Structure formats: structure tokens, C-alpha cells
Amino acid sequence: MDELAHDIAARSLRIGSDGASPLVRRPTRAEAEAAVTVLLAWAGDDPAREGLIDTPGRVAKAFGELFAGYLEDPAEILETVFEEVAGYDEMVLVRDISFVSHCEHHMAPFFGKAHIAYFPEHGVVGLSKLARLVEIYARRLQTQETMTSQILAALDRFLTSRGAAVLVEAEHMCMSMRGVRKPGAVTATLRFSGCFRDDPAEQARFFALARGK
């Protein structure tokens, strides 16, 4: 069993070192389903019983949706900018962007809301694009801290602005349903760049608007 897992991993090396690049050689659908079958048996159930016979296929299909972010490019999401905005150069903020991601340590879900703001310099990006940016990084195996940093880095790299801010608030099921078992605990992570990083007054204004005050 360990040899099978090691063989699949060895033939599925990643491009680069950021841990988020597409696989050089993705395992086949059959290999993925076989791996799920092994996990079902390891959990103590019978993969051949009626209720589980189609589970490996369903799990493989679900993984394709839950982790679709590996196949999406943030540059494409942010490439279209609208310059005809009557000279608008104040803060743009989209708050309460709901998301569901999965912890890379236990593959348990974590879910919550992201709040994103930026100061446009040469135009604005479509508001739905910011929500799609969150989805790209949420639909990967993640830590909340990494996801927050990745969203800000993409904004800084692909969207011309005078500064950006990202606040992510989430509950982690690996903390709620296992381990310390503290449901309802919320983790907040944030990153600033540009004028947000350099001006505490803008940070305070961002927090106030993000929380609807």
C-alpha cells in the first residue's frame, strides 16, 4: 500500500517549488478511484458494499470540482481592466466573499469570508473577478495564511494599484471536529501592500468598511 502511494507520488512531480503548479503527470482517474477504495477499506468499511460501490468515482469527480483552482490562472482573471471610470481613484472593496477550502494538513474543510480592497491606479477590475480570485486559491489544498498571501500577491502582480488589502476570516473543521474540538473558533489573517501597508489610517478605514461600520 505504501509502495503504491509512493509510486504514484513519484510519477506526479510538480513544476516549480511553490507547491501550487499543475502536475507534470496527473494520476489517472482509475488510479484516483483505486486510492479512494484503499482509504475506504483502511477506514474499516467494505468498499464493495452497495452504499460504497460508486463512492470512489463520486469522490474523484468531487475532487475535480473542489480542487479546480490548480488549473486556473489568476493572471487571466485580472487581465481586463476598465479605464472609463470617471477618474475614480478611491478605495474599491468587496467584502463577505464566501469560500470553502481544504486544509493541506488533514484535508478537512475550512470555510468563511474574504474581504478584498485596492486603490485603483489605471482603472478598475470587474467586481466578480475579485470573487473568482478568491475561488482560485480556495480550491486548492491550503493553509489560511498561505491563501491570504497568495491573493495579495496576485493583486500586486497582475492588477496595477496603489495598494491592496486582504482579510480572511474562517472556521477550520480540523480544529472544530477533531483535535482540540472547539467549534465556532474563527481565525483571521490579513495582508497589506502599498498605501495600506504604509498608512495606519487606511488600515483602520479598511477594517471599518470590511466589517460594515
Side-chain angles (χ1 to χ4, degrees), residues 58 90 101:
R58 294 191 186 104
E90 264 290 348
S101 189

Side-chain angles (χ1 to χ4, degrees), residues 172-212:
H172 293 249
M173 297 308 291
C174 60
M175 181 176 174
S176 299
M177 63 186 288
R178 60 163 300 282
V180 71
R181 297 184 183 180
K182 295 297 181 184
V186 174
T187 298
T189 50
L190 63 143
R191 288 295 306 272
F192 296 121
S193 69
C195 58
F196 283 106
R197 180 191 59 232
D198 300 333
D199 190 343
E202 293 299 352
Q203 296 177 20
R205 191 155 71 107
F206 167 71
F207 283 125
L209 290 171
R211 297 203 161 106

